[in-house]
Amino acid sequence: MKRKIINFVTLCILGSLTLFFVGCSGGGSGGGNNQDPNRGFFVQVLANGIPTIARVDGTFISGSGTNGSLNSFIIFETSGAGLTQVPNVRVPGVWRLTYGPSFTGSLCLTFTTEDRNVNLGSFERLNCVPRFFSFTASPDNIDALNPPSTITFSGKGIDSLNGTPVLAYYNEFGTIVASTTSGQLLYDNGEIEGISVNVPDLSQVYNGTYTVAVHNINPDGTWEIIGAATMTIYGNPPPPLPPPGGGDDCDPPLPDQPQLPCNPEQN
């Protein structure tokens, strides 16, 4: 059984892009050294933890709105992998945000609406309903410094007609922290029901919950996402954050995106 899915167009951006910040911004909190009153806030849309192109509409609901002047905005397509700035909007205040499929390449299935308390320069991560299968990883709890040799991912839609499926591990910020392409297809009554893959090097991956995206390879070499599983990694706690001080109230910056070979979508 196969399910028709859309071409995956954002991984290639992720392979080389460093998340973009103007001044300092963090999840739900503004501030930092950049006090431009018109910088508004930033959005990123994810589908099951994977950054994606999406449409985002916003309406100012309430609040002081002492910075900026716009009461509404429409972003027909976000940047996908990084942050998209929403400049010159009224903040701080409550914004009603509606987000979902864009014209091309979105991993979102439907639109979602929620109210967010937004501050100047804040980073709002929006999680849409994904347009792909849910997979199960076994085991789904991995010791980063002593992992098993293989992991099984069970789900529908896998094939290897044009190459071995690619698996990419994303952290909560949408950064690819590891990837693997080696694997063995698993069958049940003659139908592919999963894949067993070698575990990539996780020694530099810190404790946390990760999304593992599974992609088939298209005839032209592009990737097509078919599903994703959730995995917990432990045994490698992150280093302590530096103490605050120095007159800088910035949140710690996100790490640079690691390189991952990929092929852009060809229209």
Side-chain angles (χ1 to χ4, degrees), residues 43-47 50-52 54-56 78 80 99 108 126-128:
V43 296
Q44 183 187 42
V45 180
L46 302 98
I50 302 172
T52 180
R55 172 173 173 146
V56 181
T78 61
Y99 49 94
C108 298
L126 308 172
N127 297 284
C128 70

Side-chain angles (χ1 to χ4, degrees), residues 13-70:
I13 305 172
L14 279 168
S16 60
L17 180 67
T18 300
L19 286 178
F20 171 68
F21 287 85
V22 175
C24 299
S25 60
S29 63
N33 291 329
N34 188 343
Q35 295 301 314
D36 176 5
N38 296 317
R39 77 181 187 273
F41 60 96
F42 302 83
V43 296
Q44 183 187 42
V45 180
L46 302 98
N48 199 4
I50 302 172
T52 180
I53 295 170
R55 172 173 173 146
V56 181
D57 299 353
T59 302
F60 183 77
I61 301 300
S62 63
S64 64
T66 53
N67 300 282
S69 60
L70 298 180

Side-chain angles (χ1 to χ4, degrees), residues 28-164:
S29 63
N33 291 329
N34 188 343
Q35 295 301 314
D36 176 5
N38 296 317
R39 77 181 187 273
F41 60 96
F42 302 83
V43 296
Q44 183 187 42
V45 180
L46 302 98
N48 199 4
I50 302 172
T52 180
I53 295 170
R55 172 173 173 146
V56 181
D57 299 353
T59 302
F60 183 77
I61 301 300
S62 63
S64 64
T66 53
N67 300 282
S69 60
L70 298 180
N71 290 312
S72 64
F73 67 86
I74 298 175
I75 301 174
F76 290 103
E77 285 196 350
T78 61
S79 66
L83 305 182
T84 299
Q85 187 177 12
V86 189
N88 200 30
V89 291
R90 294 182 62 186
V91 289
V94 176
W95 277 83
R96 181 157 296 158
L97 303 176
T98 299
Y99 49 94
S102 61
F103 292 119
T104 59
S106 179
L107 299 180
C108 298
L109 177 64
T110 61
F111 281 91
T112 301
T113 298
E114 63 175 296
D115 292 349
R116 288 286 184 99
N117 189 11
V118 178
N119 296 311
L120 180 65
S122 67
F123 169 22
E124 303 302 323
R125 188 178 294 112
L126 308 172
N127 297 284
C128 70
V129 177
R131 187 193 291 269
F132 46 84
F133 291 110
S134 176
F135 272 56
T136 300
S138 180
D140 59 5
N141 286 272
I142 304 296
D143 185 340
L145 304 182
N146 187 29
S149 58
T150 61
I151 302 174
T152 297
F153 292 88
S154 300
K156 302 289 187 179
I158 295 176
D159 71 51
S160 59
L161 295 176
N162 303 298
T164 305

